[in-house]
Amino acid sequence: MSTTLASVDPLFEVTPAQLSSTTAIGDEETHTATLVANRTMVLTGTSHGENADSETTASFAGTCPTGWFGSVTMQAGDTCEFTWTTHPTRMQSTSQSASFTAQELDEAGKPVGEAILSSFALELTSTVLEFESGYNFGEVPVGRTGAQELRLTNRAAVDALVSLSNIDAPFAVDERLLGEELRVPARSSIEVPLYFWPTAAGPASGYGDWSYRLDDDTGDKRSGYLRLSGTGNAEQPPIDVSATGVDFGEVHVGDTADRTITLTNSSSDDVAIDALNPVDLGLLGLSLGELPDYGFVPAGESITVTISWKPTKAGTLSRQALFAASRLLPARAATEPAPDIVEFAATLAGTAVGDGPTTDGGGGGTTDPATKPKPTQPKPAHPTPETQPVTENLPGTGGPGLAWGLGIALALAAAGGIALLRSPRRR
């Protein structure tokens, strides 16, 4: 409503100064403005009480003029009430008013001073969808995801169809929501996820387009945009990983004992885990099974790995299986520096028992072959074809070959071969 002319003693007062109605489509609300006369005056106005459209109905009550240009004399303290009933049936914003003039009267009923022109006014906005138009995600570590819920509330008595599009990076909405209209049932609410994926440190801002329409035949449509903001934080949350240890107990040399160790990721990010010293463990007869899913461990979850020990020497085992965990960041953060790497260990203990030499505390070591006793073989009582006596060749003798040569010489001598034997002496 337009304001009245200022005066030391105003002729009348209107409360409230202006009517404003935000009414859901399909609902009905009533709003009233009251004019109070401070002195005797004549009120002339245009009544809309007999007119009505699909959105509003107006009426006067009390000491009010009737007819289009009806007039009424009001005494100090008299009131005129103007009532506006809103019942919107479509999406729109409109302004409506009922104009009037007030003229002061003296004791004789004669007009005094200037007539004051004013009006009762109504600003009507029909309501369908209600939601916040701005979202700040605060600080989010680079490479991680910040999320908020866009809550859409349909106040209307008809279903609303909503579209979201053109979301500026690094902000996003579920891709499934970009290619189709979202249905928000009448008198109901739904929540739509919004995301902030910072790829660099510092503040970021963006926008997203929205539009909606009623699921009816009016064709009315409204549109606007979302304001999105957030700050990328270069500091990352810590990597928190751990491993259980095992005690193999007593294991006989040559036997194999299997145990399991559990690797737990208590971080807020997914990690990849690698074994660091499988070769060193293998030298002690220890073998580590394959890490499930190539060592991928989601945030807050664990994996179990088998570790086997087949000792080759007696002694005490006291070693650690070493691992490294690295944070897994999405591809959108691939341009950032390499993620942090954290090392952790699983303690391995046990005792190898057997007849072999003792190891040096599980640290390996060698035994001189020369100090190892040689096995002995029992001698048979009587030679047999399968077990002939072994004659060792001694240094400086001919052995069996020399005896065979002498036998040949004696035979030649007996056959008259003396000249052969003597021939060397003629030299």
Side-chain angles (χ1 to χ4, degrees), residues 192-227:
V192 178
L194 298 174
Y195 302 107
F196 174 40
W197 292 331
T199 57
S205 61
Y207 295 90
D209 296 331
W210 60 261
S211 65
Y212 66 81
R213 62 185 179 88
L214 288 175
D215 189 15
D216 58 15
D217 298 328
T218 62
D220 295 339
K221 190 173 185 179
R222 287 182 181 171
S223 60
Y225 59 88
L226 298 173
R227 297 186 303 273

Side-chain angles (χ1 to χ4, degrees), residues 176-387:
R176 294 172 298 177
L177 307 179
L178 295 176
E180 60 184 21
E181 290 182 312
L182 306 175
R183 179 175 293 274
V184 185
R187 317 291 192 190
S188 301
S189 299
I190 66 170
E191 292 184 343
V192 178
L194 298 174
Y195 302 107
F196 174 40
W197 292 331
T199 57
S205 61
Y207 295 90
D209 296 331
W210 60 261
S211 65
Y212 66 81
R213 62 185 179 88
L214 288 175
D215 189 15
D216 58 15
D217 298 328
T218 62
D220 295 339
K221 190 173 185 179
R222 287 182 181 171
S223 60
Y225 59 88
L226 298 173
R227 297 186 303 273
L228 307 170
S229 61
T231 301
N233 190 337
E235 296 183 5
Q236 295 290 331
I239 299 177
D240 183 9
V241 288
S242 60
T244 58
V246 296
D247 188 343
F248 288 93
E250 289 190 353
V251 182
H252 286 277
V253 172
D255 290 347
T256 300
D258 293 333
R259 300 287 187 273
T260 58
I261 57 178
T262 301
L263 312 181
T264 300
N265 175 21
S266 302
S267 312
S268 56
D269 291 316
D270 301 341
V271 299
I273 295 178
D274 293 316
L276 294 181
N277 63 338
V279 175
D280 294 340
L281 297 178
L283 297 176
L284 302 178
L286 294 159
S287 59
L288 189 68
E290 289 188 7
L291 274 65
D293 297 326
Y294 304 97
F296 171 78
V297 186
E301 298 188 16
S302 302
I303 59 174
T304 300
V305 183
T306 299
I307 187 165
S308 303
W309 185 31
K310 184 178 182 180
T312 58
K313 301 173 185 178
T316 301
L317 173 67
S318 179
R319 281 292 181 271
Q320 288 184 329
L322 301 179
F323 301 91
S326 57
R327 188 193 323 274
L328 291 179
L329 294 180
R332 58 181 173 273
T335 58
E336 293 302 306
D340 298 333
I341 296 178
V342 171
E343 295 185 6
F344 62 103
T347 301
L348 311 176
T351 302
V353 295
D355 297 331
T358 302
T359 62
D360 57 348
T366 59
T367 303
D368 187 354
T371 64
K372 184 176 182 180
K374 296 180 180 180
T376 58
Q377 296 182 0
K379 296 181 180 180
H382 301 286
T384 64
E386 290 79 11
T387 58

Side-chain angles (χ1 to χ4, degrees), residues 118-141:
S118 190
S119 65
F120 294 100
L122 171 72
E123 297 289 339
L124 170 64
T125 302
S126 56
T127 301
V128 177
L129 213 59
E130 293 181 349
F131 56 91
E132 294 293 332
S133 60
Y135 292 85
N136 189 318
F137 292 81
E139 290 193 0
V140 178

